[in-house]
Amino acid sequence: MDVSEIIIPGDTPGTTWRLPVLRFAGHDPKAAKVYIQAALHAGELPGTVALHFLCERLRQAESEGGIVGDITIVPQANPIGAAQSHFGELQGRFDLGSRTNFNRDFPLISIADRATLIEDLDDYPATDRLKRQLLHMALGADLVLDLHCDDESLQYAYIDEAFWPEAADLAAALDMQAVLLSDGESSAFEEAVGFAWKYEIPGERRSRLPGRLSVTVELRGKRDVDPALAKKDADGLWRFLVTRGIASGETAATAFSGPAVPLDNVEILRAPEGGAVLFHRNIGERVAEGDVLATIVTRPGQPGGGIDLHAPQAGLILTRTSDRLVRRRGDLMKIACDNPSKASRKAGTLEN
Ligand SMILES: [Zn+2]
């Protein structure tokens, strides 16, 4: 394992960021290359701890000559966000200086222009430098996994339709409970990678990308940082690397049996008013149309001071907010359903 650091000068005197990059060199130059990062939203650590254990296994494999394709791992992709603690609370999703989501505004370029990502880096503030460096590394690989997590959540992934159903091997290896098929139109990291491949020949859009993969994996909820889950996920990532011929080893073939639905089939349950939320149903449960999912206590103690919220259609509860004081229009749940939601959705990502 080779460990190096990308140095990112801070935007104010006296600050510098350091981004450790772990590399395992494969012995077969024809094998697929993989890039895996975690915690781009700085407080999302299930992937970081899974990669800790995966690297242990990869070092063992390396000592036995078992690394076939090049592997690049960035276990903690966002040192800038990780330092943004205000009033005792981490803000790892948005860059406080520019008010942008750390997982949006990645440059949408053709892979033919990959080298330009790291030219003239001094022209960019630290957050943009970080994004350009991460995207540059990812575009050196064939397979790209961006490990995130949700709030209270099952394990699921956002996968561009261009990679489906080939990517079912990843869903099976990690034992995912659902897959959301996206249309690939945003500036999120995973979609910027896909964009670069689709427009390899500028002006010509490829709709299938065989042999390639770029996904956002939601490794359950933000509090699911746990030694048993981390080792299970490390095992899952290992299985995927073996399946794709990047590491050599034995794995039992498994199949993905969960739902794979388009983003349009995700119902987002929103609070019609603010108040204290009482959830009647939990993540992982299948619900029927009309089931009471939550009650918002809007005027405690007063007659009629609660509002019941019902399932708009049958589906599997993927996520739930961990907040119990919720705001008007706040997202409470994501439900993966069999049919498209009647609620209108902006193209691109489900959330800001
Ligand atoms: Zn995230």
Side-chain angles (χ1 to χ4, degrees), residues 39-44 92-93 101 103-104 146-150 158 216-218:
L40 180 57
H41 288 139
E44 302 179 353
R93 186 171 180 85
N101 187 319
N103 192 22
R104 302 289 184 273
D146 190 15
L147 307 181
H148 288 245
C149 68
D150 209 299
Y158 294 96
T216 301
V217 179
E218 303 285 350

Side-chain angles (χ1 to χ4, degrees), residues 8-19:
I8 298 172
D11 297 331
T12 51
T15 57
T16 303
W17 307 103
R18 309 175 84 88
L19 183 74

Side-chain angles (χ1 to χ4, degrees), residues 108-113 195-207:
L108 297 176
I109 59 150
S110 163
I111 192 158
D113 299 323
F195 183 98
W197 291 334
K198 287 176 190 170
Y199 292 94
E200 184 163 4
I201 303 165
E204 255 178 60
R205 184 180 186 280
R206 297 169 66 195
S207 58

